[in-house]
């Protein structure tokens, strides 16, 4: 899975795996496989983002989404413990539903800015959504061509951390943190797209 390759989750994964292993073992014991865990995590993220964020409940939304984002680690734990569904299909499903979850998070923030009458920030957040999708697509397309595109400032974990932390603190009343976070993400995501395009171009030139 893509998130396993990032430095951030390489550091966090051992500790989180130890915490999630008892829950994973319980799920496997009840016949629940990793694909079901992935689907529940995505559904929870989508519902939380589109319910809490547009209504202005940024902190609650960020906390709820964080819980469901942990399902990205839990499905791997379940697969390793012998849950049904740990397969190529499972990896495809996980990556596809990750895009759905990401889109819901930024769509919820866009709706929040629109409801607040902040058209500029809604547009900036839309850039985050689109650029983030292109970042993921560029990597997948490169790998489909037998190339690599692992470079970049803002991979999925970094984008999620910035967005959720900014939303959480904004909900607690910290001024400017959410706009600053969205501007940083927009710029970093666009830079990442450029970095991946350049990386693939350089590889094709060497062939």
């Amino acid at each position: 899975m893509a998130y396993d390759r990032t430095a951030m989750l390489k550091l966090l994964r051992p500790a989180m795996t130890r915490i999630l292993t008892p829950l994973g073992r319980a799920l496997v014991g009840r016949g629940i496989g990793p694909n079901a865990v992935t689907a529940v995590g995505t559904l929870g993220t989508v519902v939380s983002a589109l319910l809490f964020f547009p209504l202005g409940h940024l902190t609650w939304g960020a906390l709820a989404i964080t819980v469901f984002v942990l399902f990205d680690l839990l499905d791997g734990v379940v697969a390793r413990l012998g849950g049904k569904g740990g397969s190529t299909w499972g990896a495809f499903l996980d990556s596809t539903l990750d895009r759905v979850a990401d889109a819901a998070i930024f769509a919820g923030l866009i709706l929040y800015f629109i409801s607040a009458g902040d058209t500029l920030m809604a547009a900036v957040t839309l850039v985050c959504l689109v650029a983030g999708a292109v970042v993921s697509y560029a990597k997948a397309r490169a790998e489909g061509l037998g190339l690599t595109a692992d470079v970049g400032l803002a991979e999925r974990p970094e984008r999620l951390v910035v967005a959720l932390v900014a939303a959480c603190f904004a909900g607690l009343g910290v001024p400017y943190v959410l706009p600053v976070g969205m501007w940083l993400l927009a710029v970093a995501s666009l830079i990442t797209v450029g970095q991946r395009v350049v990386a693939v171009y350089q590889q094709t030139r060497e062939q």
Side-chain angles (χ1 to χ4, degrees):
M1 297 178 187
Y3 52 79
D4 286 338
R5 302 188 185 99
T6 64
M8 182 182 300
L9 287 187
K10 280 183 180 179
L11 293 174
L12 292 177
R13 185 177 177 184
M16 292 306 304
T17 297
R18 286 194 295 271
I19 294 172
L20 294 174
T21 293
L23 176 57
R25 188 174 291 111
L27 293 174
V28 170
R30 288 168 174 75
I32 298 174
N35 293 343
V37 173
T38 299
V40 170
T42 300
L43 179 61
T45 297
V46 170
V47 171
S48 298
L50 297 181
L51 176 64
F52 288 111
F53 285 166
L55 295 177
H57 303 310
L58 299 179
T59 298
W60 285 112
L63 293 175
I65 291 169
T66 298
V67 171
F68 287 111
V69 165
L70 291 178
F71 279 59
D72 264 352
L73 293 175
L74 182 59
D75 61 2
V77 172
V78 171
R80 286 191 294 275
L81 290 173
K84 297 178 181 179
S87 61
T88 301
W89 158 245
F92 170 81
L93 180 67
D94 179 78
S95 295
T96 301
L97 292 183
D98 280 351
R99 306 290 80 78
V100 174
D102 293 353
I105 291 169
F106 288 101
L109 291 173
I110 290 170
L111 292 174
Y112 164 74
F113 284 121
I114 290 175
S115 66
D118 195 337
T119 305
L120 174 61
M121 287 312 306
V124 171
T125 307
L126 179 60
V127 171
C128 294
L129 191 161
V130 175
V134 176
V135 166
S136 298
Y137 173 79
K139 182 175 182 177
R141 182 58 177 152
E143 291 175 346
L145 295 171
L147 305 171
T148 60
D150 292 328
V151 298
L153 289 175
E155 295 194 60
R156 184 176 188 250
E158 288 79 12
R159 294 197 303 272
L160 289 180
V161 168
V162 172
L164 295 178
V165 170
C168 183
F169 281 102
L172 294 174
V174 178
Y176 307 117
V177 64
L178 186 55
V180 169
M182 292 302 100
W183 274 107
L184 288 175
L185 270 185
V187 173
S189 296
L190 290 173
I191 291 174
T192 302
V193 171
Q195 289 175 308
R196 294 192 168 181
V197 170
V198 170
V200 172
Y201 174 74
Q202 290 175 338
Q203 291 172 71
T204 59
R205 294 280 290 178
E206 295 170 357
Q207 292 179 343

